[in-house]
PDB file of all heavy atoms in Angstrom:
ATOM      1  N   ALA A  75       5.946   3.014  -6.373  1.00 74.00           N
ATOM      2  CA  ALA A  75       7.083   3.866  -6.033  1.00 74.00           C
ATOM      3  C   ALA A  75       7.931   4.159  -7.273  1.00 74.00           C
ATOM      4  O   ALA A  75       8.416   5.281  -7.456  1.00 74.00           O
ATOM      5  CB  ALA A  75       7.942   3.191  -4.959  1.00 74.00           C
ATOM      6  N   ALA A  84       7.207   5.653   2.049  1.00 84.00           N
ATOM      7  CA  ALA A  84       5.806   5.313   2.321  1.00 84.00           C
ATOM      8  C   ALA A  84       5.494   3.906   1.819  1.00 84.00           C
ATOM      9  O   ALA A  84       4.762   3.144   2.474  1.00 84.00           O
ATOM     10  CB  ALA A  84       4.887   6.335   1.667  1.00 84.00           C
ATOM     11  N   LEU A  90       5.843  -3.264   5.198  1.00 91.00           N
ATOM     12  CA  LEU A  90       5.995  -3.764   6.565  1.00 91.00           C
ATOM     13  C   LEU A  90       4.624  -4.099   7.161  1.00 91.00           C
ATOM     14  O   LEU A  90       4.462  -5.100   7.870  1.00 91.00           O
ATOM     15  CB  LEU A  90       6.706  -2.720   7.429  1.00 91.00           C
ATOM     16  CG  LEU A  90       8.173  -2.442   7.083  1.00 91.00           C
ATOM     17  CD1 LEU A  90       8.721  -1.306   7.940  1.00 91.00           C
ATOM     18  CD2 LEU A  90       9.016  -3.698   7.276  1.00 91.00           C
ATOM     19  N   ARG A 127     -20.510 -14.051 -15.173  1.00 74.00           N
ATOM     20  CA  ARG A 127     -19.997 -12.735 -14.802  1.00 74.00           C
ATOM     21  C   ARG A 127     -18.630 -12.900 -14.160  1.00 74.00           C
ATOM     22  O   ARG A 127     -18.447 -13.702 -13.238  1.00 74.00           O
ATOM     23  CB  ARG A 127     -20.946 -12.019 -13.843  1.00 74.00           C
ATOM     24  CG  ARG A 127     -22.271 -11.640 -14.494  1.00 74.00           C
ATOM     25  CD  ARG A 127     -23.112 -10.776 -13.584  1.00 74.00           C
ATOM     26  NE  ARG A 127     -22.480  -9.483 -13.375  1.00 74.00           N
ATOM     27  CZ  ARG A 127     -22.625  -8.429 -14.178  1.00 74.00           C
ATOM     28  NH1 ARG A 127     -23.377  -8.537 -15.269  1.00 74.00           N
ATOM     29  NH2 ARG A 127     -22.037  -7.288 -13.904  1.00 74.00           N
ATOM     30  N   ARG A 128     -17.682 -12.107 -14.641  1.00 68.00           N
ATOM     31  CA  ARG A 128     -16.293 -12.288 -14.243  1.00 68.00           C
ATOM     32  C   ARG A 128     -16.093 -12.124 -12.740  1.00 68.00           C
ATOM     33  O   ARG A 128     -15.409 -12.925 -12.095  1.00 68.00           O
ATOM     34  CB  ARG A 128     -15.418 -11.285 -15.008  1.00 68.00           C
ATOM     35  CG  ARG A 128     -13.941 -11.350 -14.716  1.00 68.00           C
ATOM     36  CD  ARG A 128     -13.178 -10.444 -15.675  1.00 68.00           C
ATOM     37  NE  ARG A 128     -11.768 -10.476 -15.420  1.00 68.00           N
ATOM     38  CZ  ARG A 128     -11.142  -9.653 -14.592  1.00 68.00           C
ATOM     39  NH1 ARG A 128     -11.830  -8.739 -13.934  1.00 68.00           N
ATOM     40  NH2 ARG A 128      -9.827  -9.733 -14.412  1.00 68.00           N
ATOM     41  N   GLY A 172      20.637 -28.080  17.626  1.00 89.00           N
ATOM     42  CA  GLY A 172      21.964 -27.709  18.097  1.00 89.00           C
ATOM     43  C   GLY A 172      22.712 -26.785  17.158  1.00 89.00           C
ATOM     44  O   GLY A 172      23.809 -26.317  17.498  1.00 89.00           O
ATOM     45  N   ALA A 193       2.849 -20.327   3.554  1.00 79.00           N
ATOM     46  CA  ALA A 193       2.782 -21.777   3.366  1.00 79.00           C
ATOM     47  C   ALA A 193       3.851 -22.485   4.201  1.00 79.00           C
ATOM     48  O   ALA A 193       3.574 -23.499   4.852  1.00 79.00           O
ATOM     49  CB  ALA A 193       2.959 -22.116   1.889  1.00 79.00           C
ATOM     50  N   GLY A 222      13.425 -15.365   4.271  1.00 91.00           N
ATOM     51  CA  GLY A 222      13.107 -15.908   2.955  1.00 91.00           C
ATOM     52  C   GLY A 222      11.946 -15.189   2.296  1.00 91.00           C
ATOM     53  O   GLY A 222      11.929 -15.000   1.078  1.00 91.00           O
ATOM     54  N   GLY A 244      14.460  -2.674   0.163  1.00 91.00           N
ATOM     55  CA  GLY A 244      14.428  -2.070   1.488  1.00 91.00           C
ATOM     56  C   GLY A 244      13.759  -2.990   2.498  1.00 91.00           C
ATOM     57  O   GLY A 244      14.211  -3.114   3.649  1.00 91.00           O
ATOM     58  N   PRO A 265      15.456 -16.712  25.759  1.00 88.00           N
ATOM     59  CA  PRO A 265      14.307 -16.245  26.553  1.00 88.00           C
ATOM     60  C   PRO A 265      13.230 -17.329  26.624  1.00 88.00           C
ATOM     61  O   PRO A 265      13.083 -18.138  25.700  1.00 88.00           O
ATOM     62  CB  PRO A 265      13.814 -15.033  25.767  1.00 88.00           C
ATOM     63  CG  PRO A 265      14.247 -15.295  24.367  1.00 88.00           C
ATOM     64  CD  PRO A 265      15.552 -16.024  24.464  1.00 88.00           C
ATOM     65  N   ALA A 377       1.283  -1.240 -26.301  1.00 87.00           N
ATOM     66  CA  ALA A 377       2.697  -0.903 -26.486  1.00 87.00           C
ATOM     67  C   ALA A 377       3.327  -1.750 -27.596  1.00 87.00           C
ATOM     68  O   ALA A 377       4.216  -1.279 -28.311  1.00 87.00           O
ATOM     69  CB  ALA A 377       3.457  -1.104 -25.175  1.00 87.00           C
ATOM     70  N   ARG A 395      16.205   3.199 -49.213  1.00 81.00           N
ATOM     71  CA  ARG A 395      17.616   3.602 -49.365  1.00 81.00           C
ATOM     72  C   ARG A 395      18.459   2.551 -50.081  1.00 81.00           C
ATOM     73  O   ARG A 395      19.630   2.783 -50.353  1.00 81.00           O
ATOM     74  CB  ARG A 395      18.210   3.861 -47.974  1.00 81.00           C
ATOM     75  CG  ARG A 395      17.581   5.064 -47.260  1.00 81.00           C
ATOM     76  CD  ARG A 395      18.031   5.115 -45.808  1.00 81.00           C
ATOM     77  NE  ARG A 395      19.484   5.173 -45.702  1.00 81.00           N
ATOM     78  CZ  ARG A 395      20.166   4.932 -44.584  1.00 81.00           C
ATOM     79  NH1 ARG A 395      19.513   4.571 -43.487  1.00 81.00           N
ATOM     80  NH2 ARG A 395      21.487   5.029 -44.568  1.00 81.00           N
ATOM     81  N   MET A 430     -10.247  -4.430 -31.733  1.00 90.00           N
ATOM     82  CA  MET A 430     -10.508  -5.525 -30.803  1.00 90.00           C
ATOM     83  C   MET A 430     -10.206  -5.141 -29.360  1.00 90.00           C
ATOM     84  O   MET A 430     -10.930  -5.547 -28.433  1.00 90.00           O
ATOM     85  CB  MET A 430      -9.702  -6.767 -31.226  1.00 90.00           C
ATOM     86  CG  MET A 430     -10.053  -7.267 -32.623  1.00 90.00           C
ATOM     87  SD  MET A 430      -9.170  -8.773 -33.088  1.00 90.00           S
ATOM     88  CE  MET A 430     -10.029  -9.987 -32.088  1.00 90.00           C
ATOM     89  N   ALA A 478       1.391 -21.461 -49.901  1.00 82.00           N
ATOM     90  CA  ALA A 478       0.589 -20.308 -50.333  1.00 82.00           C
ATOM     91  C   ALA A 478      -0.791 -20.751 -50.815  1.00 82.00           C
ATOM     92  O   ALA A 478      -1.806 -20.107 -50.520  1.00 82.00           O
ATOM     93  CB  ALA A 478       1.326 -19.560 -51.449  1.00 82.00           C
ATOM     94  N   GLU A 494     -21.349 -19.092 -41.158  1.00 78.00           N
ATOM     95  CA  GLU A 494     -22.062 -20.006 -40.259  1.00 78.00           C
ATOM     96  C   GLU A 494     -22.106 -19.454 -38.835  1.00 78.00           C
ATOM     97  O   GLU A 494     -23.135 -19.570 -38.148  1.00 78.00           O
ATOM     98  CB  GLU A 494     -21.372 -21.376 -40.271  1.00 78.00           C
ATOM     99  CG  GLU A 494     -21.482 -22.110 -41.594  1.00 78.00           C
ATOM    100  CD  GLU A 494     -20.613 -23.349 -41.625  1.00 78.00           C
ATOM    101  OE1 GLU A 494     -19.952 -23.625 -40.596  1.00 78.00           O
ATOM    102  OE2 GLU A 494     -20.577 -24.026 -42.670  1.00 78.00           O
ATOM    103  N   LEU A 544      -0.521 -19.375 -60.615  1.00 66.00           N
ATOM    104  CA  LEU A 544      -1.610 -20.108 -59.969  1.00 66.00           C
ATOM    105  C   LEU A 544      -2.759 -19.202 -59.553  1.00 66.00           C
ATOM    106  O   LEU A 544      -3.718 -19.664 -58.937  1.00 66.00           O
ATOM    107  CB  LEU A 544      -1.078 -20.834 -58.729  1.00 66.00           C
ATOM    108  CG  LEU A 544      -0.037 -21.921 -58.994  1.00 66.00           C
ATOM    109  CD1 LEU A 544       0.543 -22.437 -57.690  1.00 66.00           C
ATOM    110  CD2 LEU A 544      -0.669 -23.067 -59.781  1.00 66.00           C
ATOM    111  N   ALA A 553      -7.183 -26.633 -59.654  1.00 41.00           N
ATOM    112  CA  ALA A 553      -5.979 -27.452 -59.534  1.00 41.00           C
ATOM    113  C   ALA A 553      -5.910 -28.429 -60.689  1.00 41.00           C
ATOM    114  O   ALA A 553      -6.916 -29.010 -61.097  1.00 41.00           O
ATOM    115  CB  ALA A 553      -6.010 -28.223 -58.204  1.00 41.00           C
TER     116      ALA A 553
END
Side-chain angles (χ1 to χ4, degrees):
L90 293 175
R127 293 188 66 86
R128 180 172 180 270
R395 294 170 57 195
M430 300 183 74
E494 293 171 1
L544 296 173

